[in-house]
Amino acid sequence: MKVLYNKVQTVMRPLPHKITWKCSGDSKALKILGVNPWIYDFAAFNVWSRPAGLLCCLDMLHRAGADTALVDFMAREMFPGSWPEPQRTGRGRYPKLPLPKPWALQNVPRQFSRYGASRQDVVDAMADLEPGPDLILITSLMTYWYPGVMAAIRLIKELFPFTPVCLGGIYATLCPDHAMGTGADFVFSGPLERSDNWNRLWSISGRKTPQLPVDAGMRADVSFYPAPDFSILMTTRGCPFNCPYCAASVIYPGFSRSTPETLIRHLNQEYQRGVRDFAFYDDALLVHAPGILHPVLSYVIDNKLEIGLHAPNALHIRYLTPRTCRMLRQAGLGTVKLGLETANFSRRQDTKLQLREFEQGIANLEQAGFVKDDIVVYILGGLPGQSDKDLEATIISCHALGLKPEINFYSPVPGTPFFDKACAYSRFSLSDPLVHNNSIWPCSKHGFSWEEHKKWKDMVRGKI
């Protein structure tokens, strides 16, 4: 009897990038693995996203003598198998796995999901790491993304049950007590280069604390990404303004600057690797621009580097001088994103902008060759006590000037002056960071609804 077998065609899936150690040359060096975890949220989009703080930590640790490695759950370059193709400039969508909503978010009419690489791909990538790590650093970003941090820590402890796990980053800094419940063995609040944190990390491993490298915290090690779609540039860290709704000064007290030489060297290295899109990661890119940013832009212009520059964080409008605008245009900045927040200059919640500075900044951009379609204006919505009329008036003012408004809904941030006010206005108990999520409009009078969402979307587009 002849038995017939159906031929099954096997589709080969690209394997995850092999995670390897970046060696210091010392066979007894401490081996430190950095981890950027999943995002758990209602929505997520890759806007030139890199875990900059973690990359700075890995840079300083390697220069201090450690062997380092990185697994970034959110990087297409490390997990090419099922990742959506990026846009031409490097931005793009993440793989998404729908999940049940946490109890605190049950009444929010949106789909909750995990974003990033599949669990199996992450396991496969880390399982091949030889030898295993002596210490694991996991970073955190938004406070309300902590479920992704917890899920990553659970997985890490399955794979490396005897390795200490240290949690740092924005969530760990703003909510250190809450972060103690994530399963991490140690929680670090504030920058690693702070002397107490630096000493603590090395003591956890039973090692003598080495000297902190020069420029610690100002250099991000992006060499872990193979064939990157984009790279990042950091000219400064911190922000000299103390806006009451923003956590920049809480997360990174003070204001530090890189040097043009360091930035140009980094840009050249990435350019030689084939990178053509660069995103600035500054909170205050244009502050002290003549001494830091201008030399970098001049280098790009003089050497005719055909690159795209992106500034996803809002530019400070008051620093848009004619020279700065011309150089940004010539060097390759496409879309200009500005931090207006509100057009009601008599009732601003901050001191970073006046009406005449706004008008002059827009005029300087136009004179440099930017057209109105190139200019996106960030405005704040959903602030505690903010009326719909206030937000509508700002949108109308932007349209009257031919500018494109984009609403950023307010997220309550612990440690900021607005947080107590947010607690008084919010429908939620803000003790759970899950409800800090700006996707649910936590301080709006009626909260998120698809009807309200459509109304604001139509208004922003000038349809109503």
Side-chain angles (χ1 to χ4, degrees):
M1 180 177 179
K2 187 177 181 180
V3 180
L4 298 177
Y5 293 93
N6 291 324
K7 186 177 181 181
V8 178
Q9 184 178 4
T10 302
V11 178
M12 297 301 293
R13 186 165 57 97
L15 295 175
H17 168 67
K18 185 175 178 59
I19 308 300
T20 59
W21 292 109
K22 183 175 181 178
C23 295
S24 63
D26 182 354
S27 61
K28 296 181 180 179
L30 189 68
K31 289 181 165 46
I32 301 177
L33 173 65
V35 175
N36 186 33
W38 291 295
I39 292 173
Y40 280 45
D41 203 341
F42 295 109
F45 189 80
N46 182 2
V47 186
W48 305 291
S49 180
R50 290 284 191 249
L54 177 62
L55 298 178
C56 287
C57 292
L58 294 176
D59 168 78
M60 69 181 85
L61 289 166
H62 184 70
R63 288 195 286 140
D67 292 350
T68 52
L70 171 71
V71 57
D72 186 344
F73 295 13
M74 307 305 298
R76 186 194 70 85
E77 297 92 335
M78 291 192 177
F79 302 98
S82 58
W83 219 274
E85 280 299 310
Q87 297 176 3
R88 183 180 58 81
T89 61
R91 303 194 321 159
R93 298 186 180 279
Y94 294 114
K96 180 171 69 170
L97 177 69
L99 297 174
K101 281 181 284 194
W103 180 85
L105 304 174
Q106 284 299 311
N107 294 325
V108 178
R110 307 189 72 166
Q111 175 61 57
F112 197 70
S113 299
R114 184 191 74 194
Y115 295 85
S118 71
R119 188 183 193 278
Q120 189 58 55
D121 277 353
V122 171
V123 170
D124 291 345
M126 288 201 286
D128 289 337
L129 185 62
E130 288 290 342
D134 300 311
L135 190 68
I136 297 172
L137 304 184
I138 183 167
T139 190
S140 58
L141 192 55
M142 303 300 188
T143 59
Y144 45 87
W145 286 351
Y146 76 82
V149 172
M150 295 178 72
I153 290 174
R154 286 195 298 269
L155 176 57
I156 289 167
K157 286 187 169 289
E158 289 178 20
L159 298 173
F160 307 107
F162 305 111
T163 305
V165 176
C166 301
L167 172 62
I170 294 174
Y171 157 64
T173 296
L174 297 177
C175 305
D177 293 337
H178 190 276
M180 291 297 296
T182 58
D185 299 298
F186 304 93
V187 174
F188 283 73
S189 179
L192 177 60
E193 63 268 27
R194 205 173 68 191
S195 59
D196 57 335
N197 284 336
W198 184 249
N199 291 330
R200 184 185 178 206
L201 181 135
W202 290 95
S203 67
I204 288 170
S205 303
R207 303 294 183 101
K208 181 180 178 181
T209 303
Q211 185 174 354
L212 193 67
V214 177
D215 292 334
M218 290 304 303
R219 290 165 51 173
D221 189 348
V222 297
S223 65
F224 300 105
Y225 297 96
D229 297 321
F230 62 90
S231 194
I232 64 176
L233 291 168
M234 295 191 335
T235 72
T236 61
R237 283 186 74 184
C239 182
F241 297 98
N242 290 295
C243 301
Y245 45 78
C246 179
S249 60
V250 181
I251 297 165
Y252 191 88
F255 187 65
S256 301
R257 291 174 278 179
S258 185
T259 65
E261 294 77 17
T262 298
L263 292 163
I264 291 170
R265 182 167 58 250
H266 170 81
L267 190 151
N268 262 326
Q269 289 172 349
E270 291 297 276
Y271 191 83
Q272 293 300 318
R273 286 212 294 160
V275 177
R276 295 297 181 266
D277 284 279
F278 293 84
F280 289 107
Y281 259 50
D282 301 59
D283 288 315
L285 174 65
L286 302 185
V287 176
H288 300 300
I292 309 170
L293 179 62
H294 285 185
V296 177
L297 298 178
S298 291
Y299 179 84
V300 172
I301 296 166
D302 294 343
N303 288 276
K304 297 181 173 57
L305 299 184
E306 295 184 0
I307 62 175
L309 295 178
H310 312 280
N313 294 337
L315 300 178
H316 285 88
I317 301 171
R318 74 193 311 176
Y319 297 111
L320 289 171
T321 65
R323 183 187 177 199
T324 295
C325 293
R326 286 195 305 271
M327 296 183 75
L328 286 170
R329 181 66 175 172
Q330 293 170 10
L333 182 67
T335 301
V336 180
K337 300 196 173 185
L338 305 178
L340 174 60
E341 323 307 1
T342 179
N344 189 342
F345 288 91
S346 64
R347 297 179 58 189
R348 289 189 69 91
Q349 304 286 349
D350 56 53
T351 59
K352 68 183 182 182
L353 185 64
Q354 297 178 13
L355 176 59
R356 59 177 177 80
E357 293 171 329
F358 174 57
E359 294 172 339
Q360 188 61 58
I362 298 300
N364 291 342
L365 286 170
E366 290 189 275
Q367 289 170 9
F370 290 99
V371 298
K372 293 289 180 66
D373 282 347
D374 295 329
I375 303 173
V376 175
V377 180
Y378 288 148
I379 57 178
L380 275 173
L383 288 166
Q386 184 184 39
S387 69
D388 285 359
K389 288 185 177 181
D390 287 340
L391 186 53
E392 289 170 6
T394 294
I395 294 172
I396 292 169
S397 296
C398 290
H399 286 157
L401 293 170
L403 305 174
K404 296 189 295 187
E406 183 174 312
I407 303 175
N408 284 340
F409 278 89
Y410 168 70
S411 173
V413 184
T416 62
F418 255 38
F419 190 69
D420 288 342
K421 191 175 182 180
C423 290
Y425 275 90
S426 180
R427 308 176 321 283
F428 303 97
S429 170
L430 299 182
S431 59
D432 186 345
L434 268 176
V435 297
H436 299 170
N437 194 328
N438 63 349
S439 292
I440 67 175
W441 306 353
C443 294
S444 294
K445 185 175 180 180
H446 302 294
F448 176 87
S449 72
W450 287 111
E451 293 79 9
E452 284 290 299
H453 178 270
K454 184 178 185 305
K455 181 190 82 171
W456 291 118
K457 188 175 182 179
D458 287 345
M459 182 166 286
V460 162
R461 293 179 174 180
K463 293 183 178 181
I464 58 175

